[in-house]
Amino acid sequence: MQVLPGATLGVLGGGQLGRMFCVTARTLGYQLAVLDPDPGSPAGRTADHHIQAQFDDTAALDRLAELCDVVTTEFENVPAASLRYLVAQCPVFPAPEALEVAQNRNREKRYAADAGLLPVPYCALKSEADLATALKAIGLPAILKSATLGYDGKGQAMVTSEAELRAAWQNMAGVECVLEKKIDLALEVSAIVARNANGACCFPVAENQHRNGVLHLSIVPARVDTTITEQARVQALQLAEALDYTGVLAVEFFVAKDGTLYFNEMAPRPHNSGHYTKDACVTSQFEQQVRMMCGLPPGDVRLLSPVVMVNMLGDLWEPDWNLILRQPAVKLHLYGKHHARPGRKMGHFNVLAENVETALAIAEDVFSKLKLQSANGRKYTQIKTKSN
Ligand code: ADP
Ligand code: MG
C-alpha cells in the first residue's frame, strides 16, 4: 500500500525530530497531525492538527487514527500499550515490537547480539543481589545505566570501585539497570538505515563527538578506515533486517582503540547524528522517514558534500545570529523552542566545505565564537542585574 501526497501523516511526539519530519512531509504535499501534551511543542506548531493530550489518552489516540492514513513516532518512549491500541485502528511504522526492543537497553543489546552484532560487554541488573556477579563479569571502570528512559547521558554513572557502583545503584532507586564495560574509545560512529518492503539503504556513516554525554558534532565522511564504516553500514542493515523494520533506524557504535566495533544502542527514528543529511545528502533522513512509512521507495542517500553538523544547546542562548548567518556555507536549523535551558537542544548548524578538515575548522571557529559571546553575555546580564 502506498500513501501519496495529499494524505495525512501522524506523529507521536512533538519535539524537534517531529518538527523536521512535519516540515519535510509538508514540502512533499502531505497534511500533518501531531499528538503531544505540550501546547508549545515544536512539531505541534507546524502541523495542521495538534492533538494536545498524553500518549495514553485513548480518546486522543482515536482522534489521531481517525485523522491519519499512517502514523509514525519521533519519540521511542511512547507506551507500548498506546502503540498497540493505535495499531488496531491504523497503520503505525515502525511497528510497536521494534519500539519495545529499543525502549530497553538490555533488550536491544540481546537483540543486536542475536542479529550478529557485538554489543559492549554488559550485564543486566535487576536487584542488588546482581551487583557482585555483574562487577565480576564486567570489571572496572564501568558505566551503570538505567535500562529505560535514558537519553543525552541522563540516567548514567561512571563507576571506578565497588563502593561507587553500590552508591550509583542506590541512586537509581531500584529500576532495572545495565552495567557496561567502559570502552577505551578511539571514536564513535553511527549508521542510519531506511527500510521498508521496497528496499533498504544506509546513509553515509557519521563520526560523532560527544560532550558530557550529549552529541556535540558529527563529521561526514567519518575519519576512519573504510573497513570500519563498511562494517557499521552492513551491521546496521543486518539489525534492521532482523527486526523486519519499516522506517528509519539509527544505530550507534563505539570504535575501540583496538579497532573493535561495538554496538552501543539504537533509536527507532531519525537521529541527531543524521541532521547533516538535511543539507548534505540527496535525501534527508526525514524525507526517508516519510518515504518508508508511506510505502515509497527509499530516496538516494548520496553525500553531496563533506559536512560537519554542530549542535546548539541552550547554554549558547541568546546567540548573536550574525556569527552564523554571515558564513555563506553554514546552514542554520532552529527548533522553535520558546525557552532555552542549559543542555536543551535548541537547534544545529551544518557546515559544508570541499573537505571535512575545512568544514571542521569553520565549525569550530563559529562554535567557539558563539561560546565566547554567550559567556560574555552572561557576565553582562549579571552585572545588569546587580546594578538594578
Ligand atoms: P544516550 O541514550 O544518553 O545517548 P549512550 O549509551 O549512547 O546513552 O551514552 C552517551 C555517551 O556516553 C556515548 O555516546 C559515549 O560517549 C559515552 N558512553 C556511554 N557508554 C559508554 C561505554 N560503555 N564506554 C565508553 N563510553 C560510553
Ligand atoms: Mg547514545
Side-chain angles (χ1 to χ4, degrees), residues 105 120 143 145 150-154 156 180-183 185 188 210 213 252 254 264-265:
R105 293 188 190 277
V120 176
I143 300 178
K145 302 180 183 177
Y151 67 100
D152 288 344
K154 293 183 175 68
Q156 300 193 8
E180 292 181 12
K181 183 181 162 71
K182 184 175 187 299
I183 305 295
L185 296 174
E188 298 185 55
H210 293 78
E252 295 180 22
F254 294 145
N264 171 27
E265 61 169 350

mmCIF file with all atom_site columns, all heavy atoms in Angstrom, residues 105 120 143 145 150-154 156 180-183 185 188 210 213 252 254 264-265, ligand 1:
data_model
loop_
_atom_site.group_PDB
_atom_site.id
_atom_site.type_symbol
_atom_site.label_atom_id
_atom_site.label_alt_id
_atom_site.label_comp_id
_atom_site.label_asym_id
_atom_site.label_entity_id
_atom_site.label_seq_id
_atom_site.pdbx_PDB_ins_code
_atom_site.Cartn_x
_atom_site.Cartn_y
_atom_site.Cartn_z
_atom_site.occupancy
_atom_site.B_iso_or_equiv
_atom_site.pdbx_formal_charge
_atom_site.auth_seq_id
_atom_site.auth_comp_id
_atom_site.auth_asym_id
_atom_site.auth_atom_id
_atom_site.pdbx_PDB_model_num
ATOM   1   N N   . ARG A 1 105 ? 17.593 -0.991 27.255 1.00 0.00 ? 105 ARG A N   1
ATOM   2   C CA  . ARG A 1 105 ? 18.995 -1.207 26.876 1.00 0.00 ? 105 ARG A CA  1
ATOM   3   C C   . ARG A 1 105 ? 19.408 -2.677 26.905 1.00 0.00 ? 105 ARG A C   1
ATOM   4   O O   . ARG A 1 105 ? 20.204 -3.115 26.085 1.00 0.00 ? 105 ARG A O   1
ATOM   5   C CB  . ARG A 1 105 ? 19.919 -0.408 27.792 1.00 0.00 ? 105 ARG A CB  1
ATOM   6   C CG  . ARG A 1 105 ? 19.801 1.100  27.628 1.00 0.00 ? 105 ARG A CG  1
ATOM   7   C CD  . ARG A 1 105 ? 20.888 1.814  28.434 1.00 0.00 ? 105 ARG A CD  1
ATOM   8   N NE  . ARG A 1 105 ? 20.669 3.241  28.488 1.00 0.00 ? 105 ARG A NE  1
ATOM   9   C CZ  . ARG A 1 105 ? 21.032 4.112  27.538 1.00 0.00 ? 105 ARG A CZ  1
ATOM   10  N NH1 . ARG A 1 105 ? 21.644 3.676  26.451 1.00 0.00 ? 105 ARG A NH1 1
ATOM   11  N NH2 . ARG A 1 105 ? 20.801 5.395  27.668 1.00 0.00 ? 105 ARG A NH2 1
ATOM   12  N N   . VAL A 1 120 ? 28.532 -3.919 23.478 1.00 0.00 ? 120 VAL A N   1
ATOM   13  C CA  . VAL A 1 120 ? 29.513 -3.624 24.520 1.00 0.00 ? 120 VAL A CA  1
ATOM   14  C C   . VAL A 1 120 ? 29.341 -4.688 25.607 1.00 0.00 ? 120 VAL A C   1
ATOM   15  O O   . VAL A 1 120 ? 28.205 -5.035 25.927 1.00 0.00 ? 120 VAL A O   1
ATOM   16  C CB  . VAL A 1 120 ? 29.150 -2.246 25.139 1.00 0.00 ? 120 VAL A CB  1
ATOM   17  C CG1 . VAL A 1 120 ? 30.051 -1.894 26.285 1.00 0.00 ? 120 VAL A CG1 1
ATOM   18  C CG2 . VAL A 1 120 ? 29.148 -1.176 24.087 1.00 0.00 ? 120 VAL A CG2 1
ATOM   19  N N   . ILE A 1 143 ? 30.166 1.538  33.424 1.00 0.00 ? 143 ILE A N   1
ATOM   20  C CA  . ILE A 1 143 ? 29.126 2.574  33.419 1.00 0.00 ? 143 ILE A CA  1
ATOM   21  C C   . ILE A 1 143 ? 27.804 1.913  33.776 1.00 0.00 ? 143 ILE A C   1
ATOM   22  O O   . ILE A 1 143 ? 27.429 0.898  33.177 1.00 0.00 ? 143 ILE A O   1
ATOM   23  C CB  . ILE A 1 143 ? 29.042 3.274  32.044 1.00 0.00 ? 143 ILE A CB  1
ATOM   24  C CG1 . ILE A 1 143 ? 30.398 3.930  31.732 1.00 0.00 ? 143 ILE A CG1 1
ATOM   25  C CG2 . ILE A 1 143 ? 27.932 4.326  32.022 1.00 0.00 ? 143 ILE A CG2 1
ATOM   26  C CD1 . ILE A 1 143 ? 30.484 4.607  30.394 1.00 0.00 ? 143 ILE A CD1 1
ATOM   27  N N   . LYS A 1 145 ? 23.869 2.225  33.811 1.00 0.00 ? 145 LYS A N   1
ATOM   28  C CA  . LYS A 1 145 ? 22.818 2.989  33.110 1.00 0.00 ? 145 LYS A CA  1
ATOM   29  C C   . LYS A 1 145 ? 21.456 2.431  33.484 1.00 0.00 ? 145 LYS A C   1
ATOM   30  O O   . LYS A 1 145 ? 21.318 1.211  33.620 1.00 0.00 ? 145 LYS A O   1
ATOM   31  C CB  . LYS A 1 145 ? 22.970 2.856  31.587 1.00 0.00 ? 145 LYS A CB  1
ATOM   32  C CG  . LYS A 1 145 ? 24.307 3.312  31.040 1.00 0.00 ? 145 LYS A CG  1
ATOM   33  C CD  . LYS A 1 145 ? 24.379 3.148  29.517 1.00 0.00 ? 145 LYS A CD  1
ATOM   34  C CE  . LYS A 1 145 ? 25.749 3.548  28.998 1.00 0.00 ? 145 LYS A CE  1
ATOM   35  N NZ  . LYS A 1 145 ? 25.895 3.353  27.543 1.00 0.00 ? 145 LYS A NZ  1
ATOM   36  N N   . GLY A 1 150 ? 16.606 6.593  29.457 1.00 0.00 ? 150 GLY A N   1
ATOM   37  C CA  . GLY A 1 150 ? 17.811 7.442  29.470 1.00 0.00 ? 150 GLY A CA  1
ATOM   38  C C   . GLY A 1 150 ? 18.002 8.112  28.115 1.00 0.00 ? 150 GLY A C   1
ATOM   39  O O   . GLY A 1 150 ? 17.633 7.555  27.086 1.00 0.00 ? 150 GLY A O   1
ATOM   40  N N   . TYR A 1 151 ? 18.527 9.324  28.122 1.00 0.00 ? 151 TYR A N   1
ATOM   41  C CA  . TYR A 1 151 ? 18.896 9.977  26.864 1.00 0.00 ? 151 TYR A CA  1
ATOM   42  C C   . TYR A 1 151 ? 19.910 11.065 27.185 1.00 0.00 ? 151 TYR A C   1
ATOM   43  O O   . TYR A 1 151 ? 19.976 11.552 28.316 1.00 0.00 ? 151 TYR A O   1
ATOM   44  C CB  . TYR A 1 151 ? 17.673 10.575 26.142 1.00 0.00 ? 151 TYR A CB  1
ATOM   45  C CG  . TYR A 1 151 ? 17.060 11.742 26.892 1.00 0.00 ? 151 TYR A CG  1
ATOM   46  C CD1 . TYR A 1 151 ? 17.342 13.056 26.516 1.00 0.00 ? 151 TYR A CD1 1
ATOM   47  C CD2 . TYR A 1 151 ? 16.253 11.537 27.983 1.00 0.00 ? 151 TYR A CD2 1
ATOM   48  C CE1 . TYR A 1 151 ? 16.817 14.132 27.221 1.00 0.00 ? 151 TYR A CE1 1
ATOM   49  C CE2 . TYR A 1 151 ? 15.723 12.594 28.699 1.00 0.00 ? 151 TYR A CE2 1
ATOM   50  C CZ  . TYR A 1 151 ? 16.006 13.888 28.314 1.00 0.00 ? 151 TYR A CZ  1
ATOM   51  O OH  . TYR A 1 151 ? 15.511 14.948 29.021 1.00 0.00 ? 151 TYR A OH  1
ATOM   52  N N   . ASP A 1 152 ? 20.692 11.450 26.175 1.00 0.00 ? 152 ASP A N   1
ATOM   53  C CA  . ASP A 1 152 ? 21.689 12.507 26.337 1.00 0.00 ? 152 ASP A CA  1
ATOM   54  C C   . ASP A 1 152 ? 22.516 12.332 27.613 1.00 0.00 ? 152 ASP A C   1
ATOM   55  O O   . ASP A 1 152 ? 22.769 13.283 28.347 1.00 0.00 ? 152 ASP A O   1
ATOM   56  C CB  . ASP A 1 152 ? 21.025 13.895 26.345 1.00 0.00 ? 152 ASP A CB  1
ATOM   57  C CG  . ASP A 1 152 ? 20.525 14.278 24.948 1.00 0.00 ? 152 ASP A CG  1
ATOM   58  O OD1 . ASP A 1 152 ? 20.955 13.621 23.970 1.00 0.00 ? 152 ASP A OD1 1
ATOM   59  O OD2 . ASP A 1 152 ? 19.724 15.214 24.835 1.00 0.00 ? 152 ASP A OD2 1
ATOM   60  N N   . GLY A 1 153 ? 22.927 11.096 27.881 1.00 0.00 ? 153 GLY A N   1
ATOM   61  C CA  . GLY A 1 153 ? 23.790 10.818 29.030 1.00 0.00 ? 153 GLY A CA  1
ATOM   62  C C   . GLY A 1 153 ? 23.057 10.853 30.372 1.00 0.00 ? 153 GLY A C   1
ATOM   63  O O   . GLY A 1 153 ? 23.685 10.680 31.417 1.00 0.00 ? 153 GLY A O   1
ATOM   64  N N   . LYS A 1 154 ? 21.744 11.052 30.348 1.00 0.00 ? 154 LYS A N   1
ATOM   65  C CA  . LYS A 1 154 ? 20.996 11.076 31.616 1.00 0.00 ? 154 LYS A CA  1
ATOM   66  C C   . LYS A 1 154 ? 20.735 9.644  32.068 1.00 0.00 ? 154 LYS A C   1
ATOM   67  O O   . LYS A 1 154 ? 20.590 8.751  31.240 1.00 0.00 ? 154 LYS A O   1
ATOM   68  C CB  . LYS A 1 154 ? 19.676 11.839 31.443 1.00 0.00 ? 154 LYS A CB  1
ATOM   69  C CG  . LYS A 1 154 ? 19.908 13.316 31.185 1.00 0.00 ? 154 LYS A CG  1
ATOM   70  C CD  . LYS A 1 154 ? 18.603 14.084 31.084 1.00 0.00 ? 154 LYS A CD  1
ATOM   71  C CE  . LYS A 1 154 ? 18.829 15.562 30.943 1.00 0.00 ? 154 LYS A CE  1
ATOM   72  N NZ  . LYS A 1 154 ? 19.447 15.933 29.639 1.00 0.00 ? 154 LYS A NZ  1
ATOM   73  N N   . GLN A 1 156 ? 22.893 7.842  33.844 1.00 0.00 ? 156 GLN A N   1
ATOM   74  C CA  . GLN A 1 156 ? 24.148 7.086  33.711 1.00 0.00 ? 156 GLN A CA  1
ATOM   75  C C   . GLN A 1 156 ? 25.143 7.531  34.774 1.00 0.00 ? 156 GLN A C   1
ATOM   76  O O   . GLN A 1 156 ? 25.159 8.703  35.132 1.00 0.00 ? 156 GLN A O   1
ATOM   77  C CB  . GLN A 1 156 ? 24.831 7.369  32.379 1.00 0.00 ? 156 GLN A CB  1
ATOM   78  C CG  . GLN A 1 156 ? 24.026 7.031  31.172 1.00 0.00 ? 156 GLN A CG  1
ATOM   79  C CD  . GLN A 1 156 ? 24.844 7.027  29.899 1.00 0.00 ? 156 GLN A CD  1
ATOM   80  O OE1 . GLN A 1 156 ? 26.065 7.142  29.938 1.00 0.00 ? 156 GLN A OE1 1
ATOM   81  N NE2 . GLN A 1 156 ? 24.177 6.891  28.784 1.00 0.00 ? 156 GLN A NE2 1
ATOM   82  N N   . GLU A 1 180 ? 27.803 -1.652 32.036 1.00 0.00 ? 180 GLU A N   1
ATOM   83  C CA  . GLU A 1 180 ? 28.589 -1.818 30.802 1.00 0.00 ? 180 GLU A CA  1
ATOM   84  C C   . GLU A 1 180 ? 30.059 -1.597 31.077 1.00 0.00 ? 180 GLU A C   1
ATOM   85  O O   . GLU A 1 180 ? 30.426 -0.724 31.874 1.00 0.00 ? 180 GLU A O   1
ATOM   86  C CB  . GLU A 1 180 ? 28.179 -0.752 29.769 1.00 0.00 ? 180 GLU A CB  1
ATOM   87  C CG  . GLU A 1 180 ? 26.806 -0.914 29.223 1.00 0.00 ? 180 GLU A CG  1
ATOM   88  C CD  . GLU A 1 180 ? 26.482 0.167  28.183 1.00 0.00 ? 180 GLU A CD  1
ATOM   89  O OE1 . GLU A 1 180 ? 27.404 0.880  27.741 1.00 0.00 ? 180 GLU A OE1 1
ATOM   90  O OE2 . GLU A 1 180 ? 25.303 0.290  27.846 1.00 0.00 ? 180 GLU A OE2 1
ATOM   91  N N   . LYS A 1 181 ? 30.871 -2.330 30.375 1.00 0.00 ? 181 LYS A N   1
ATOM   92  C CA  . LYS A 1 181 ? 32.304 -2.075 30.428 1.00 0.00 ? 181 LYS A CA  1
ATOM   93  C C   . LYS A 1 181 ? 32.554 -0.693 29.831 1.00 0.00 ? 181 LYS A C   1
ATOM   94  O O   . LYS A 1 181 ? 31.947 -0.340 28.817 1.00 0.00 ? 181 LYS A O   1
ATOM   95  C CB  . LYS A 1 181 ? 33.004 -3.134 29.585 1.00 0.00 ? 181 LYS A CB  1
ATOM   96  C CG  . LYS A 1 181 ? 34.504 -3.073 29.580 1.00 0.00 ? 181 LYS A CG  1
ATOM   97  C CD  . LYS A 1 181 ? 35.010 -4.197 28.658 1.00 0.00 ? 181 LYS A CD  1
ATOM   98  C CE  . LYS A 1 181 ? 36.442 -3.985 28.231 1.00 0.00 ? 181 LYS A CE  1
ATOM   99  N NZ  . LYS A 1 181 ? 37.406 -4.176 29.299 1.00 0.00 ? 181 LYS A NZ  1
ATOM   100 N N   . LYS A 1 182 ? 33.422 0.085  30.451 1.00 0.00 ? 182 LYS A N   1
ATOM   101 C CA  . LYS A 1 182 ? 33.771 1.375  29.862 1.00 0.00 ? 182 LYS A CA  1
ATOM   102 C C   . LYS A 1 182 ? 34.795 1.111  28.759 1.00 0.00 ? 182 LYS A C   1
ATOM   103 O O   . LYS A 1 182 ? 35.884 0.614  29.017 1.00 0.00 ? 182 LYS A O   1
ATOM   104 C CB  . LYS A 1 182 ? 34.332 2.339  30.892 1.00 0.00 ? 182 LYS A CB  1
ATOM   105 C CG  . LYS A 1 182 ? 34.588 3.696  30.270 1.00 0.00 ? 182 LYS A CG  1
ATOM   106 C CD  . LYS A 1 182 ? 35.040 4.736  31.237 1.00 0.00 ? 182 LYS A CD  1
ATOM   107 C CE  . LYS A 1 182 ? 35.109 6.092  30.567 1.00 0.00 ? 182 LYS A CE  1
ATOM   108 N NZ  . LYS A 1 182 ? 36.062 6.141  29.438 1.00 0.00 ? 182 LYS A NZ  1
ATOM   109 N N   . ILE A 1 183 ? 34.414 1.424  27.552 1.00 0.00 ? 183 ILE A N   1
ATOM   110 C CA  . ILE A 1 183 ? 35.268 1.146  26.399 1.00 0.00 ? 183 ILE A CA  1
ATOM   111 C C   . ILE A 1 183 ? 36.283 2.272  26.228 1.00 0.00 ? 183 ILE A C   1
ATOM   112 O O   . ILE A 1 183 ? 35.952 3.450  26.380 1.00 0.00 ? 183 ILE A O   1
ATOM   113 C CB  . ILE A 1 183 ? 34.415 1.014  25.110 1.00 0.00 ? 183 ILE A CB  1
ATOM   114 C CG1 . ILE A 1 183 ? 33.308 -0.047 25.280 1.00 0.00 ? 183 ILE A CG1 1
ATOM   115 C CG2 . ILE A 1 183 ? 35.276 0.717  23.894 1.00 0.00 ? 183 ILE A CG2 1
ATOM   116 C CD1 . ILE A 1 183 ? 33.805 -1.452 25.464 1.00 0.00 ? 183 ILE A CD1 1
ATOM   117 N N   . LEU A 1 185 ? 37.636 4.419  23.994 1.00 0.00 ? 185 LEU A N   1
ATOM   118 C CA  . LEU A 1 185 ? 37.135 4.798  22.670 1.00 0.00 ? 185 LEU A CA  1
ATOM   119 C C   . LEU A 1 185 ? 38.188 5.436  21.772 1.00 0.00 ? 185 LEU A C   1
ATOM   120 O O   . LEU A 1 185 ? 38.899 6.347  22.201 1.00 0.00 ? 185 LEU A O   1
ATOM   121 C CB  . LEU A 1 185 ? 35.985 5.801  22.827 1.00 0.00 ? 185 LEU A CB  1
ATOM   122 C CG  . LEU A 1 185 ? 34.712 5.331  23.524 1.00 0.00 ? 185 LEU A CG  1
ATOM   123 C CD1 . LEU A 1 185 ? 33.761 6.499  23.703 1.00 0.00 ? 185 LEU A CD1 1
ATOM   124 C CD2 . LEU A 1 185 ? 34.053 4.230  22.716 1.00 0.00 ? 185 LEU A CD2 1
ATOM   125 N N   . GLU A 1 188 ? 33.436 7.426  17.994 1.00 0.00 ? 188 GLU A N   1
ATOM   126 C CA  . GLU A 1 188 ? 32.085 6.890  17.920 1.00 0.00 ? 188 GLU A CA  1
ATOM   127 C C   . GLU A 1 188 ? 31.541 7.140  16.522 1.00 0.00 ? 188 GLU A C   1
ATOM   128 O O   . GLU A 1 188 ? 31.827 8.186  15.920 1.00 0.00 ? 188 GLU A O   1
ATOM   129 C CB  . GLU A 1 188 ? 31.180 7.577  18.945 1.00 0.00 ? 188 GLU A CB  1
ATOM   130 C CG  . GLU A 1 188 ? 31.647 7.347  20.371 1.00 0.00 ? 188 GLU A CG  1
ATOM   131 C CD  . GLU A 1 188 ? 30.692 7.911  21.407 1.00 0.00 ? 188 GLU A CD  1
ATOM   132 O OE1 . GLU A 1 188 ? 29.503 7.554  21.373 1.00 0.00 ? 188 GLU A OE1 1
ATOM   133 O OE2 . GLU A 1 188 ? 31.142 8.704  22.241 1.00 0.00 ? 188 GLU A OE2 1
ATOM   134 N N   . HIS A 1 210 ? 31.001 13.546 21.374 1.00 0.00 ? 210 HIS A N   1
ATOM   135 C CA  . HIS A 1 210 ? 30.084 13.893 22.459 1.00 0.00 ? 210 HIS A CA  1
ATOM   136 C C   . HIS A 1 210 ? 30.784 14.775 23.479 1.00 0.00 ? 210 HIS A C   1
ATOM   137 O O   . HIS A 1 210 ? 31.994 14.675 23.669 1.00 0.00 ? 210 HIS A O   1
ATOM   138 C CB  . HIS A 1 210 ? 29.591 12.618 23.149 1.00 0.00 ? 210 HIS A CB  1
ATOM   139 C CG  . HIS A 1 210 ? 28.721 11.779 22.273 1.00 0.00 ? 210 HIS A CG  1
ATOM   140 N ND1 . HIS A 1 210 ? 29.224 10.964 21.289 1.00 0.00 ? 210 HIS A ND1 1
ATOM   141 C CD2 . HIS A 1 210 ? 27.384 11.646 22.224 1.00 0.00 ? 210 HIS A CD2 1
ATOM   142 C CE1 . HIS A 1 210 ? 28.222 10.363 20.678 1.00 0.00 ? 210 HIS A CE1 1
ATOM   143 N NE2 . HIS A 1 210 ? 27.089 10.756 21.220 1.00 0.00 ? 210 HIS A NE2 1
ATOM   144 N N   . GLY A 1 213 ? 28.222 13.525 27.547 1.00 0.00 ? 213 GLY A N   1
ATOM   145 C CA  . GLY A 1 213 ? 27.200 12.537 27.187 1.00 0.00 ? 213 GLY A CA  1
ATOM   146 C C   . GLY A 1 213 ? 26.221 13.009 26.125 1.00 0.00 ? 213 GLY A C   1
ATOM   147 O O   . GLY A 1 213 ? 25.325 12.272 25.732 1.00 0.00 ? 213 GLY A O   1
ATOM   148 N N   . GLU A 1 252 ? 24.017 3.334  16.891 1.00 0.00 ? 252 GLU A N   1
ATOM   149 C CA  . GLU A 1 252 ? 25.242 3.954  17.412 1.00 0.00 ? 252 GLU A CA  1
ATOM   150 C C   . GLU A 1 252 ? 26.268 2.876  17.725 1.00 0.00 ? 252 GLU A C   1
ATOM   151 O O   . GLU A 1 252 ? 25.936 1.863  18.338 1.00 0.00 ? 252 GLU A O   1
ATOM   152 C CB  . GLU A 1 252 ? 24.943 4.721  18.709 1.00 0.00 ? 252 GLU A CB  1
ATOM   153 C CG  . GLU A 1 252 ? 24.030 5.907  18.539 1.00 0.00 ? 252 GLU A CG  1
ATOM   154 C CD  . GLU A 1 252 ? 23.787 6.624  19.876 1.00 0.00 ? 252 GLU A CD  1
ATOM   155 O OE1 . GLU A 1 252 ? 24.603 6.494  20.820 1.00 0.00 ? 252 GLU A OE1 1
ATOM   156 O OE2 . GLU A 1 252 ? 22.752 7.306  19.975 1.00 0.00 ? 252 GLU A OE2 1
ATOM   157 N N   . PHE A 1 254 ? 30.512 2.078  19.034 1.00 0.00 ? 254 PHE A N   1
ATOM   158 C CA  . PHE A 1 254 ? 31.788 2.529  19.585 1.00 0.00 ? 254 PHE A CA  1
ATOM   159 C C   . PHE A 1 254 ? 32.902 1.874  18.774 1.00 0.00 ? 254 PHE A C   1
ATOM   160 O O   . PHE A 1 254 ? 32.835 0.682  18.501 1.00 0.00 ? 254 PHE A O   1
ATOM   161 C CB  . PHE A 1 254 ? 31.954 2.067  21.041 1.00 0.00 ? 254 PHE A CB  1
ATOM   162 C CG  . PHE A 1 254 ? 30.984 2.672  22.001 1.00 0.00 ? 254 PHE A CG  1
ATOM   163 C CD1 . PHE A 1 254 ? 30.498 1.919  23.073 1.00 0.00 ? 254 PHE A CD1 1
ATOM   164 C CD2 . PHE A 1 254 ? 30.556 3.992  21.874 1.00 0.00 ? 254 PHE A CD2 1
ATOM   165 C CE1 . PHE A 1 254 ? 29.613 2.473  23.991 1.00 0.00 ? 254 PHE A CE1 1
ATOM   166 C CE2 . PHE A 1 254 ? 29.667 4.552  22.787 1.00 0.00 ? 254 PHE A CE2 1
ATOM   167 C CZ  . PHE A 1 254 ? 29.197 3.791  23.841 1.00 0.00 ? 254 PHE A CZ  1
ATOM   168 N N   . ASN A 1 264 ? 26.411 0.055  20.424 1.00 0.00 ? 264 ASN A N   1
ATOM   169 C CA  . ASN A 1 264 ? 26.059 0.774  21.652 1.00 0.00 ? 264 ASN A CA  1
ATOM   170 C C   . ASN A 1 264 ? 24.552 0.758  21.845 1.00 0.00 ? 264 ASN A C   1
ATOM   171 O O   . ASN A 1 264 ? 24.033 0.117  22.741 1.00 0.00 ? 264 ASN A O   1
ATOM   172 C CB  . ASN A 1 264 ? 26.610 2.206  21.611 1.00 0.00 ? 264 ASN A CB  1
ATOM   173 C CG  . ASN A 1 264 ? 26.093 3.050  22.765 1.00 0.00 ? 264 ASN A CG  1
ATOM   174 O OD1 . ASN A 1 264 ? 25.751 2.517  23.828 1.00 0.00 ? 264 ASN A OD1 1
ATOM   175 N ND2 . ASN A 1 264 ? 26.003 4.351  22.572 1.00 0.00 ? 264 ASN A ND2 1
ATOM   176 N N   . GLU A 1 265 ? 23.825 1.448  20.984 1.00 0.00 ? 265 GLU A N   1
ATOM   177 C CA  . GLU A 1 265 ? 22.367 1.487  21.137 1.00 0.00 ? 265 GLU A CA  1
ATOM   178 C C   . GLU A 1 265 ? 21.720 1.829  19.805 1.00 0.00 ? 265 GLU A C   1
ATOM   179 O O   . GLU A 1 265 ? 22.401 2.222  18.856 1.00 0.00 ? 265 GLU A O   1
ATOM   180 C CB  . GLU A 1 265 ? 21.952 2.498  22.209 1.00 0.00 ? 265 GLU A CB  1
ATOM   181 C CG  . GLU A 1 265 ? 22.370 3.932  21.893 1.00 0.00 ? 265 GLU A CG  1
ATOM   182 C CD  . GLU A 1 265 ? 21.732 4.955  22.830 1.00 0.00 ? 265 GLU A CD  1
ATOM   183 O OE1 . GLU A 1 265 ? 20.834 4.605  23.598 1.00 0.00 ? 265 GLU A OE1 1
ATOM   184 O OE2 . GLU A 1 265 ? 22.137 6.126  22.762 1.00 0.00 ? 265 GLU A OE2 1
HETATM 185 P P1  . ADP B 2 .   ? 22.264 8.075  25.472 1.00 0.00 ? 1   ADP B P1  1
HETATM 186 O O1  . ADP B 2 .   ? 20.992 7.308  25.371 1.00 0.00 ? 1   ADP B O1  1
HETATM 187 O O2  . ADP B 2 .   ? 22.263 9.087  26.542 1.00 0.00 ? 1   ADP B O2  1
HETATM 188 O O3  . ADP B 2 .   ? 22.753 8.575  24.131 1.00 0.00 ? 1   ADP B O3  1
HETATM 189 P P2  . ADP B 2 .   ? 24.606 6.322  25.392 1.00 0.00 ? 1   ADP B P2  1
HETATM 190 O O4  . ADP B 2 .   ? 24.641 4.942  25.946 1.00 0.00 ? 1   ADP B O4  1
HETATM 191 O O5  . ADP B 2 .   ? 24.703 6.450  23.932 1.00 0.00 ? 1   ADP B O5  1
HETATM 192 O O6  . ADP B 2 .   ? 23.294 6.981  26.001 1.00 0.00 ? 1   ADP B O6  1
HETATM 193 O O7  . ADP B 2 .   ? 25.753 7.166  26.107 1.00 0.00 ? 1   ADP B O7  1
HETATM 194 C C1  . ADP B 2 .   ? 26.057 8.503  25.791 1.00 0.00 ? 1   ADP B C1  1
HETATM 195 C C2  . ADP B 2 .   ? 27.545 8.663  25.556 1.00 0.00 ? 1   ADP B C2  1
HETATM 196 O O8  . ADP B 2 .   ? 28.308 8.289  26.718 1.00 0.00 ? 1   ADP B O8  1
HETATM 197 C C3  . ADP B 2 .   ? 28.083 7.778  24.457 1.00 0.00 ? 1   ADP B C3  1
HETATM 198 O O9  . ADP B 2 .   ? 27.851 8.326  23.178 1.00 0.00 ? 1   ADP B O9  1
HETATM 199 C C4  . ADP B 2 .   ? 29.567 7.715  24.830 1.00 0.00 ? 1   ADP B C4  1
HETATM 200 O O10 . ADP B 2 .   ? 30.239 8.913  24.500 1.00 0.00 ? 1   ADP B O10 1
HETATM 201 C C5  . ADP B 2 .   ? 29.510 7.620  26.343 1.00 0.00 ? 1   ADP B C5  1
HETATM 202 N N1  . ADP B 2 .   ? 29.437 6.178  26.745 1.00 0.00 ? 1   ADP B N1  1
HETATM 203 C C6  . ADP B 2 .   ? 28.297 5.503  27.031 1.00 0.00 ? 1   ADP B C6  1
HETATM 204 N N2  . ADP B 2 .   ? 28.542 4.214  27.302 1.00 0.00 ? 1   ADP B N2  1
HETATM 205 C C7  . ADP B 2 .   ? 29.863 4.035  27.197 1.00 0.00 ? 1   ADP B C7  1
HETATM 206 C C8  . ADP B 2 .   ? 30.733 2.899  27.347 1.00 0.00 ? 1   ADP B C8  1
HETATM 207 N N3  . ADP B 2 .   ? 30.278 1.693  27.687 1.00 0.00 ? 1   ADP B N3  1
HETATM 208 N N4  . ADP B 2 .   ? 32.072 3.083  27.144 1.00 0.00 ? 1   ADP B N4  1
HETATM 209 C C9  . ADP B 2 .   ? 32.551 4.313  26.811 1.00 0.00 ? 1   ADP B C9  1
HETATM 210 N N5  . ADP B 2 .   ? 31.780 5.407  26.640 1.00 0.00 ? 1   ADP B N5  1
HETATM 211 C C10 . ADP B 2 .   ? 30.444 5.294  26.821 1.00 0.00 ? 1   ADP B C10 1
#
